[in-house]
Amino acid sequence: MKIDILTLFPEMYDGFLNTSIIKSAIDRKLVDIKTTNIRDYSLDKHKKVDDTPYGGGSGMVLACQPIFDAVKALKKDNSKVILMTPQGIKYNQKIAYNLSKEEHLILVCGHYEGFDERIRTLCDMELSIGDYVLTGGELPSMVIADSVVRLVDGVIEEGSHLNDSFNNDMLDYPTYTKPREYEGMKVPDVLLSGDHKKVDEWRKEESKKRTKERRPDLMKKFMLVRSTLKGNISIDKLKGYTLNPKNNAKRNDVITVKNLNIIEQSFSENVAKKNIDRRVQKLLILIMKVLDTDDSDDDVLVLDEADRIKSLLMNEYVKILGEDYRNSIIKKIDYVVREFNNKRRYVYEEVMEKSGKSR
Ligand code: ADE
């Protein structure tokens, strides 16, 4: 993976790039992270990068030319250009995970009072690391680069992020190390029992308990997704359609089948269409539930699920479903997501109007 960071302050990254896991990932060539000074691309004879805002107002605004030229110089077909801004979608672990699968990220950091609105047209995504305003996008870009890099294959020990807080929308379970007792506080007996099954059960339970107590919003999200999207059918890329039957028949004259592969083309096509239909229906239900919560943090659930269905259509189902059918469903999903975003924007604008904010 390659990460290019466009900034006016490359020196801010010295510690970040030369310490601990990030340094080791760079040294082992698992990631290539470069900072580029936006000022180097300024065509102004004094290397100016900002100007006063049209219509008046305080502060300086980053101008288009240096950032447009810098992005154009770095951007390739596989690049994802991301703008750091408090107006972006709120960053979370799922976005980190998705970004870790990209080949090339270009993180654009604003500074001063903001940037010319037209800079937005350069970007595939706008991200905010939280509802507060920093002096620039440098710290957010480090937060994003750090959380993405640790998910890149080989950067940290295999599987050690599987239990991270926020994976599966749950907080991590408590952990302990030696000694067994410290200032009267004992390590729970189950962790010393050597019984791995019991340890796993305890950890799952603690993780649930913790999430319920500390982050009821996450718990709600977890239940929402679980109840709406449960039960998938997947297609094996080579061998047709794979079903995982529920095996809940209450009879003793049936055989239990773990996996069922369907390789008859027309049958595969029917089952695949049914699965897509079902997932689109569930996406619509999820959208209604999420709109009902009025919590824009949940928007990512809808966007993720829409992406997942589109990815099924564009990857696993390519050999099974015709192009026209796949395109028509993708168009439908894009339409529904656009409408969803419009509705969200409307809610957001209403809130902004009420609070009289302009940033
Ligand atoms: N730039 C300034 N504040 C920011 C934030 N909270 N997230 C992303 N970029 C920012």
Side-chain angles (χ1 to χ4, degrees):
M1 154 171 284
K2 184 162 191 234
I3 303 180
D4 276 300
I5 301 171
L6 297 186
T7 170
L8 286 168
F9 301 96
E11 64 278 14
M12 279 180 77
Y13 296 83
D14 290 347
F16 173 63
L17 297 177
N18 288 298
T19 313
S20 184
I21 290 172
I22 301 298
K23 177 180 181 345
S24 150
I26 295 169
D27 289 348
R28 289 184 289 145
K29 305 213 179 322
L30 297 171
V31 282
D32 177 16
I33 308 182
K34 293 253 152 37
T35 55
T36 295
N37 196 331
I38 296 168
R39 204 174 292 282
D40 292 345
Y41 281 87
S42 170
L43 295 177
D44 177 78
K45 63 173 183 288
H46 303 295
K47 294 281 169 204
K48 205 164 116 100
V49 289
D50 54 1
D51 220 321
T52 51
Y54 276 124
S58 63
M60 299 294 271
V61 175
L62 275 178
C64 288
Q65 180 275 315
I67 294 192
F68 266 73
D69 286 358
V71 170
K72 280 181 195 161
L74 296 170
K75 194 174 163 158
K76 309 243 165 26
D77 287 345
N78 63 356
S79 312
K80 194 152 210 155
V81 183
I82 306 173
L83 187 63
M84 306 296 115
T85 161
Q87 296 180 11
I89 351 173
K90 215 186 277 168
Y91 190 58
N92 62 24
Q93 189 65 19
K94 275 212 189 93
I95 303 178
Y97 177 79
N98 289 337
L99 293 182
S100 74
K101 303 292 171 213
E102 295 287 338
E103 288 172 41
H104 183 207
L105 304 178
I106 301 177
L107 308 182
V108 182
C109 307
H111 219 90
Y112 310 125
E113 276 311 296
F115 37 77
D116 188 303
E117 186 65 18
R118 291 163 289 190
I119 288 171
R120 293 209 141 92
T121 62
L122 283 174
C123 301
D124 302 302
M125 192 187 230
E126 297 181 19
L127 289 178
S128 160
I129 60 160
D131 290 341
Y132 39 82
V133 181
L134 297 162
T135 54
E138 283 72 20
L139 290 172
S141 74
M142 285 185 229
V143 167
I144 289 165
D146 186 289
S147 53
V148 166
V149 167
R150 70 185 282 285
L151 295 176
V152 168
D153 283 346
V155 170
I156 57 177
E157 204 184 308
E158 186 83 17
S160 70
H161 42 66
L162 293 180
N163 291 321
D164 286 348
S165 286
F166 307 115
N167 262 344
N168 311 314
D169 289 319
M170 295 287 243
L171 295 185
D172 203 359
Y173 48 77
T175 51
Y176 297 83
T177 185
K178 293 179 192 76
R180 284 181 175 213
E181 187 172 340
Y182 186 73
E183 294 197 348
M185 294 176 282
K186 286 186 181 150
V187 175
D189 287 341
V190 61
L191 296 179
L192 310 171
S193 68
D195 184 336
H196 295 299
K197 197 162 164 255
K198 276 212 177 113
V199 170
D200 279 351
E201 278 165 12
W202 180 85
R203 285 178 167 166
K204 249 185 222 147
E205 221 25 64
E206 286 298 311
S207 169
K208 241 194 227 166
K209 207 159 90 189
R210 222 165 228 215
T211 312
K212 237 188 219 166
E213 275 166 19
R214 296 179 184 209
R215 294 291 305 272
D217 58 315
L218 282 184
M219 197 67 202
K220 195 186 74 190
K221 210 181 276 184
F222 177 77
M223 303 306 280
L224 190 78
V225 174
R226 268 287 162 94
S227 63
T228 317
L229 302 175
K230 209 160 55 179
N232 280 335
I233 312 172
S234 63
I235 284 193
D236 188 295
K237 285 183 197 77
L238 299 170
K239 296 188 217 112
Y241 213 106
T242 307
L243 284 153
N244 304 110
K246 283 199 183 108
N247 285 321
N248 54 1
K250 303 245 178 318
R251 292 165 47 163
N252 50 17
D253 57 347
V254 293
I255 312 168
T256 303
V257 176
K258 254 191 162 172
N259 287 312
L260 183 67
N261 271 325
I262 304 163
I263 48 174
E264 215 291 300
Q265 174 67 27
S266 65
F267 196 65
S268 287
E269 195 177 313
N270 275 341
V271 188
K273 278 186 176 167
K274 245 194 175 133
N275 192 30
I276 290 292
D277 267 3
R278 205 177 52 136
R279 295 209 42 172
V280 172
Q281 291 292 336
K282 288 189 168 187
L283 175 68
L284 295 176
I285 297 171
L286 186 63
I287 286 178
M288 315 253 235
K289 286 186 180 173
V290 167
L291 283 175
D292 210 33
T293 66
D294 259 2
D295 178 357
S296 64
D297 277 3
D298 292 346
D299 290 8
V300 69
L301 301 176
V302 169
L303 306 180
D304 271 0
E305 181 55 15
D307 276 352
R308 267 195 292 269
I309 306 176
K310 279 165 63 175
S311 154
L312 268 181
L313 288 163
M314 290 187 292
N315 301 302
E316 277 109 297
Y317 288 14
V318 164
K319 287 193 188 140
I320 294 167
L321 297 173
E323 196 177 349
D324 287 350
Y325 175 82
R326 287 187 290 115
N327 285 342
S328 75
I329 301 288
I330 289 171
K331 239 174 153 176
K332 252 188 217 168
I333 294 173
D334 285 343
Y335 175 78
V336 168
V337 168
R338 229 178 4 256
E339 286 298 303
F340 171 74
N341 281 333
N342 284 342
K343 174 95 180 120
R344 271 308 198 211
R345 203 160 297 136
Y346 173 73
V347 173
Y348 174 75
E349 276 162 11
E350 254 187 349
V351 173
M352 293 298 267
E353 233 166 62
K354 273 186 204 143
S355 60
K357 279 191 209 160
S358 61
R359 199 182 162 93

